[in-house]
Amino acid sequence: MNLPERKANRQYIDNNPEKWNQNRFNIETKEKNAMKLKYQFIINEVADQMVAVAVGDDMEKFNGFVKMNDIGVQIFELLKNEITLDEIIAEMLKKHPESTEQEARETITEFTDKLKAEGVVE
Amino acid sequence: MYFKLADFDMELIYLYDYIKNLLEKYKTKKAKVDFSVKTSDNDIETEKKNYEGFFSLSYLESIATYRKIAEWLPLNDAFVLHSACFDVDGVGVAFAAHSGTGKTTHMNLWQKYLGEKMVVVNGDKPIVRFFEDEPEQPYAYGTPWNGKEHLGCNMRTPLKHICFIERSETNYVEKVQKQDIIDRIMNQVYMPKAPQAMMKTMTLIDRLLSCCDLWIIHCNMAPKAAEIAYNTIFKK
């Protein structure tokens, strides 16, 4: 099959507004759900707990620290790049297959909601 | 100018005489230098933004100098601890708390109670340092940056007790575990900007909490507060 030329391809999409609108809807939905850490953090163990602290110029913007357990650290690491809640759940279920999807969703949502409330995640 | 701070040999290139006079008791002869510190006009300008009200450029230079030292220390197994630190018969005690809680007031009560048995090492921001050959014994050092009352001297003490001060109607002391005071200690240690230095600082905080006895002193301003706290901590 010969692939249509690029211009013709674009014309095809433009001429198919329903499909085009569908694509746009998906992109907007992904952008709405995606999360990411707002600042650069380092994580280290202090007094048997994992603690994340902002570094560099971000220290002035977030002058606090985040205490978390090992699960929290795994979620925190995933949030270094833009990621949706469903993607976090999928990744965490791979690491912890003993959990149910509902348990994972509740735990992760609770944690990410707290991070959002503190202004750590955008 | 050459000086010794927390057993580090340092060199200072300064703009104003205030810092030179501040370091007079820490002066040494020219030696191999562990760290050379020089502040610029830009550093002083940055400090100006951190302080409300009028502060002289010479004073701001002294703050900028200590900040540069504090940024360097963690990669050399040391850090600045916001605390009032003193020595009682060769045992180091540090009172930590937010400014205005009563660290200095309580320390003065101990001084009145103990007399010459007690020597103030640093009333505000001692340097705490670990040595390779004594991994479980942190030392707290006097520095010229010792608070507005200038309480302290050029000495060191083996730190054994970290006490967090809390105002209370009644006087009592509770021994705590490191997990109980992580929030408190994280707010009293100078946190450097560089990621590697920050990582090291957190490791050093963990070491400090593991090496020292940890206490919360609930106290009022009565002289009895010192007696109760001292007797509990030193098991008299």
Side-chain angles (χ1 to χ4, degrees):
Chain A
M1 184 179 90
N2 288 329
L3 292 172
E5 283 179 21
R6 194 174 176 166
K7 195 176 172 181
N9 201 28
R10 201 191 304 160
Q11 236 176 351
Y12 171 76
I13 290 170
D14 284 343
N15 286 335
N16 193 344
E18 192 184 356
K19 186 176 178 183
W20 180 73
N21 285 338
Q22 202 173 47
N23 284 341
R24 279 196 60 167
F25 176 74
N26 284 339
I27 288 166
E28 280 170 4
T29 304
K30 184 175 170 64
E31 282 171 352
K32 264 190 190 168
N33 287 345
M35 295 177 277
K36 189 174 178 244
L37 289 174
K38 276 168 93 169
Y39 312 111
Q40 188 195 358
F41 284 91
I42 54 128
I43 302 171
N44 203 351
E45 187 173 343
V46 182
D48 300 331
Q49 289 179 81
M50 301 307 288
V51 177
V53 184
V55 290
D57 290 336
D58 286 345
M59 273 178 79
E60 284 160 33
K61 298 168 196 164
F62 185 73
N63 188 20
F65 53 94
V66 183
K67 285 186 296 184
M68 49 200 159
N69 57 22
D70 291 341
I71 304 288
V73 170
Q74 289 167 14
I75 300 169
F76 213 77
E77 290 288 347
L78 290 171
L79 285 164
K80 282 183 177 175
N81 299 301
E82 207 165 75
I83 190 167
T84 66
L85 180 67
D86 287 340
E87 285 167 342
I88 297 174
I89 292 167
E91 286 297 322
M92 292 304 288
L93 283 172
K94 276 186 214 166
K95 294 179 205 283
H96 303 276
E98 69 281 4
S99 294
T100 65
E101 202 258 339
Q102 189 180 344
E103 281 169 350
R105 185 171 291 275
E106 279 173 11
T107 305
I108 293 163
T109 306
E110 187 187 346
F111 185 54
T112 53
D113 281 351
K114 275 186 191 167
L115 292 177
K116 281 180 197 167
E118 294 299 328
V120 172
V121 158
E122 54 190 354
Chain B
M1 176 192 182
Y2 297 91
F3 63 101
K4 205 180 205 53
L5 204 66
D7 282 325
F8 291 111
D9 289 301
M10 297 192 183
E11 179 191 19
L12 174 70
I13 300 156
Y14 57 93
L15 296 168
Y16 303 98
D17 281 350
Y18 177 81
I19 182 75
K20 186 189 104 178
N21 297 335
L22 201 65
L23 285 164
E24 190 58 36
K25 290 180 183 168
Y26 296 78
K27 238 166 90 172
T28 56
K29 288 182 182 167
K30 186 173 178 178
K32 185 185 159 197
V33 161
D34 296 311
F35 180 58
S36 180
V37 55
K38 178 185 177 182
T39 52
S40 63
D41 290 326
N42 201 37
D43 295 324
I44 294 170
E45 206 49 46
T46 304
E47 292 301 335
K48 212 174 177 179
K49 290 174 192 163
N50 292 334
Y51 287 84
E52 276 181 34
F54 175 76
F55 291 93
S56 65
L57 295 177
S58 58
Y59 175 78
L60 292 171
E61 184 190 26
S62 74
I63 302 298
T65 302
Y66 204 33
R67 190 181 299 281
K68 283 195 176 238
I69 292 170
E71 290 279 338
W72 172 83
L73 286 171
L75 294 178
N76 297 275
D77 292 336
F79 59 92
V80 173
L81 176 67
H82 179 219
S83 63
C85 181
F86 53 92
D87 181 289
V88 179
D89 284 339
V91 173
V93 181
F95 285 170
H98 288 302
S99 298
T101 308
K103 298 189 292 297
T104 308
T105 306
H106 196 65
M107 186 174 69
N108 289 340
L109 290 177
W110 277 55
Q111 183 80 86
K112 281 194 178 122
Y113 179 64
L114 295 171
E116 284 177 6
K117 277 172 67 161
M118 175 174 149
V119 177
V120 177
V121 174
N122 190 310
D124 188 39
K125 290 183 180 66
I127 290 174
V128 175
R129 184 176 177 184
F130 285 90
F131 292 88
E132 257 184 62
D133 57 351
E134 288 184 88
E136 291 176 12
Q137 181 54 74
Y139 285 90
Y141 285 82
T143 74
W145 292 273
N146 50 19
K148 51 184 185 290
E149 295 98 349
H150 297 294
L151 299 171
C153 56
N154 187 359
M155 68 171 279
R156 76 173 192 179
T157 181
L159 205 48
K160 303 273 190 209
H161 303 283
I162 311 268
C163 310
F164 295 89
I165 306 289
E166 260 192 33
R167 288 195 194 182
S168 166
E169 280 190 24
T170 54
N171 295 305
Y172 65 100
V173 182
E174 56 175 317
K175 195 159 193 224
V176 291
Q177 302 304 312
K178 57 183 181 178
Q179 298 86 344
D180 303 322
I181 49 88
I182 182 175
D183 293 14
R184 297 172 194 254
I185 194 75
M186 290 290 288
N187 283 319
Q188 304 307 327
V189 172
Y190 180 84
M191 296 297 192
K193 271 189 163 184
Q196 208 181 353
M198 173 69 90
M199 198 72 149
K200 192 65 192 293
T201 301
M202 292 163 83
T203 301
L204 292 171
I205 292 171
D206 188 63
R207 260 173 97 178
L208 179 76
L209 298 180
S210 299
C211 296
C212 296
D213 286 342
L214 307 169
W215 309 86
I216 298 178
I217 299 177
H218 304 265
C219 59
N220 53 35
M221 301 294 116
K224 193 86 177 156
E227 184 183 343
I228 291 169
Y230 171 75
N231 288 339
T232 308
I233 291 166
F234 283 81
K235 293 185 182 64
K236 301 289 181 191

